[in-house]
Amino acid sequence: MIPPVLILFSSFLCHVAIAGRTCPKPDDLPFARVVPLKTSYAPGEEIVYSCQPGYVSRGGIRRFTCPLTGLWPINTLRCTPRVCPFAGILENGTVRYTTFEYPNTISFSCNTGFYLKGANSAQCTKEGEWSQELPVCAPTTCPPPPIPKFAKLSVYQPLSGNNSLYRGKAVFECLPQHAMFGNDTVTCTEHGNWTELPECKEVKCPFPSRPDNGFVNYPAKQVLYYKDKATYGCHDTYALDGPEEAECGKFGKWSAQPSCKASCKLSVKRATVIYEGERVNIQDKFKNGMLHGQKISFFCKNKEKKCSYTEDAQCVDGIIQIPKCFKEHSSFAFWKTEASDVKPC
Ligand SMILES: *[C@@H]1O[C@H](CO)[C@@H](O)[C@H](O)[C@H]1NC(C)=O
Ligand SMILES: *[C@@H]1O[C@H](CO)[C@@H](O)[C@H](O)[C@H]1NC(C)=O
Ligand SMILES: *[C@@H]1O[C@H](CO)[C@@H](O)[C@H](O)[C@H]1NC(C)=O
Ligand SMILES: *[C@@H]1O[C@H](CO)[C@@H](O)[C@H](O)[C@H]1NC(C)=O
């Protein structure tokens, strides 16, 4: 039997221990937890520190017993996040990450011309594994392009089966009598579709009109279409103002409507003039007159300075203005010097 005094005494000791030497709430350790967690512990009570899910410590768990001193021993537990396997390389793409540790997320993207086959992000789980299988970047392809109405493919070289790779091209051509609106070339885009298709439309042109004092030739057909050609000419002494050939354009109009312009009769009988950079005798070079559009330079005298200069004249639809400064000498006035023989000013 225990003497009652001893019981009293030991309950007193116990009281002292409980009242004066309890352990406080244990220190917080990053990413660790304490079981049981309380605000105070009696001497002899045990606590267990362990790492939170997703974190590990090299030494495993730590057990501590509240000592009679009421001071927890120094705790060296270090919980560090689990690290998922290296995932830093995605062929033809990019992995964005800070670290591969729990609970971080990494994200994936592919270079232009490739698409993500799989998830676009993954998280490092508590178990130290990626939440998603790592994706791959697969090359973007376009199915064969649709062929617009009234068109045919003129260039198409699929590279991957029947499909085209990103940036692949196809070129269309319109059927005869049809004009293209839009770009003849389509390109396989990064979205796996083609850039905008062109349109082919039938285009008719009216019969070209005959120029006055001239003629026009064109194909002997019921209807004239896109790219048909008309050729023009003029009766003699008339000159064509415009190109000899016109084409039926994509908007149903002829590329040109040339006309015939009259040639000029020259009132000057004798003179040396400049034509296309050369001195010529007007009476030889232009005995049949000047054609519309032709241009010559006349020589004139500067009496004070006793020198010569030139002035231009052009035949415009039958009319030429002879420069006022030009003086034609009669062939009998042989003692007079022609302006063209005087030194230039
Ligand atoms: C895609 O990746 C492969 C393998 O690394 C490489 O040979 C190829 O050049 C890459 N393609 C592009 C367009 O970057
Ligand atoms: C390509 O297309 C042809 C005709 O449509 C088809 O017979 C062939 O199987 C296709 N080839 C591939 C690799 O898909
Ligand atoms: C047609 O498209 C190609 C590329 O797709 C481009 O290089 C070209 O300049 C375009 N042509 C016209 C006339 O817009
Ligand atoms: C191609 O696809 C993209 C994305 O879906 C879309 O924005 C674009 O308008 C498409 N282009 C054509 C020419 O259809």
Side-chain angles (χ1 to χ4, degrees):
M1 272 304 283
I2 303 163
V5 173
L6 204 59
I7 291 172
L8 244 177
F9 179 70
S10 65
S11 79
F12 168 73
L13 265 187
C14 224
H15 180 78
V16 167
I18 290 162
R21 307 241 187 97
T22 55
C23 288
K25 184 178 176 219
D27 284 343
D28 273 342
L29 270 191
F31 312 121
R33 60 183 172 195
V34 180
V35 176
L37 185 61
K38 300 198 288 187
T39 47
S40 73
Y41 300 80
E45 267 194 275
E46 189 179 72
I47 56 170
V48 177
Y49 271 96
S50 59
C51 291
Q52 289 172 8
Y55 296 85
V56 285
S57 80
R58 200 169 297 155
I61 60 172
R62 295 276 195 291
R63 269 170 215 285
F64 298 105
T65 306
C66 177
L68 285 174
T69 58
L71 297 170
W72 290 113
I74 288 169
N75 186 352
T76 55
L77 185 76
R78 291 279 171 274
C79 291
T80 53
R82 279 192 200 276
V83 181
C84 279
F86 181 70
I89 291 178
L90 180 59
E91 255 181 38
N92 300 305
T94 307
V95 181
R96 263 174 252 286
Y97 62 91
T98 47
T99 70
F100 295 148
E101 291 170 346
Y102 172 80
N104 288 342
T105 297
I106 59 178
S107 61
F108 311 106
S109 58
C110 292
N111 298 343
T112 315
F114 294 85
Y115 71 96
L116 210 54
K117 220 170 165 177
N120 59 11
S121 68
Q123 196 188 11
C124 183
T125 63
K126 291 182 188 113
E127 291 75 35
E129 287 161 3
W130 294 111
S131 63
Q132 303 284 337
E133 261 188 59
L134 300 186
V136 292
C137 288
T140 301
T141 59
C142 289
I147 313 256
K149 251 185 167 180
F150 309 119
K152 61 177 187 187
L153 271 174
S154 71
V155 179
Y156 179 56
Q157 287 156 330
L159 284 178
S160 156
N162 283 342
N163 292 344
S164 290
L165 288 174
Y166 168 61
R167 288 207 173 130
K169 291 193 192 313
V171 182
F172 296 105
E173 198 172 275
C174 291
L175 302 182
Q177 306 174 1
H178 291 77
M180 185 169 287
F181 295 83
N183 197 324
D184 67 343
T185 304
V186 294
T187 307
C188 175
T189 72
E190 65 197 82
H191 308 297
N193 57 10
W194 294 92
T195 53
E196 214 181 322
L197 296 170
E199 272 187 90
C200 291
K201 291 183 191 160
E202 189 185 65
V203 174
K204 295 174 189 175
C205 276
F207 289 108
S209 50
R210 186 182 69 81
D212 288 342
N213 304 300
F215 54 87
V216 58
N217 291 320
Y218 49 84
K221 297 197 290 187
Q222 296 283 313
V223 181
L224 296 180
Y225 290 103
Y226 180 58
K227 292 271 180 201
D228 277 339
K229 290 176 176 49
T231 54
Y232 292 84
C234 295
H235 300 144
D236 23 276
T237 79
Y238 284 84
L240 205 56
D241 190 25
E244 273 176 31
E245 190 176 85
E247 193 176 84
C248 174
K250 65 197 275 188
F251 298 107
K253 295 210 163 60
W254 292 96
S255 60
Q257 270 174 312
S259 57
C260 291
K261 294 285 165 64
S263 55
C264 297
K265 280 226 172 66
L266 285 165
S267 55
V268 177
K269 297 286 173 288
R270 281 180 64 237
T272 299
V273 296
I274 296 176
Y275 173 65
E276 292 183 339
E278 287 184 17
R279 292 167 77 100
V280 297
N281 290 323
I282 208 170
Q283 60 273 28
D284 301 335
K285 187 79 191 171
F286 299 108
K287 51 175 176 281
N288 300 323
M290 279 172 76
L291 290 178
H292 168 76
Q294 285 182 324
K295 197 192 265 183
I296 53 177
S297 306
F298 283 91
F299 286 94
C300 298
K301 266 189 216 169
N302 181 325
K303 291 229 170 72
E304 283 91 66
K305 295 189 185 159
K306 296 193 172 6
C307 59
S308 69
Y309 59 97
T310 58
E311 274 202 15
D312 294 345
Q314 187 175 24
C315 172
V316 177
D317 201 11
I319 296 167
I320 185 163
Q321 220 93 49
I322 306 296
K324 290 208 170 62
C325 64
F326 173 77
K327 295 281 179 306
E328 186 177 12
H329 292 155
S330 137
S331 50
F332 301 113
F334 55 84
W335 63 90
K336 291 199 171 161
T337 323
E338 292 284 348
S340 54
D341 296 332
V342 176
K343 70 172 165 54
C345 293

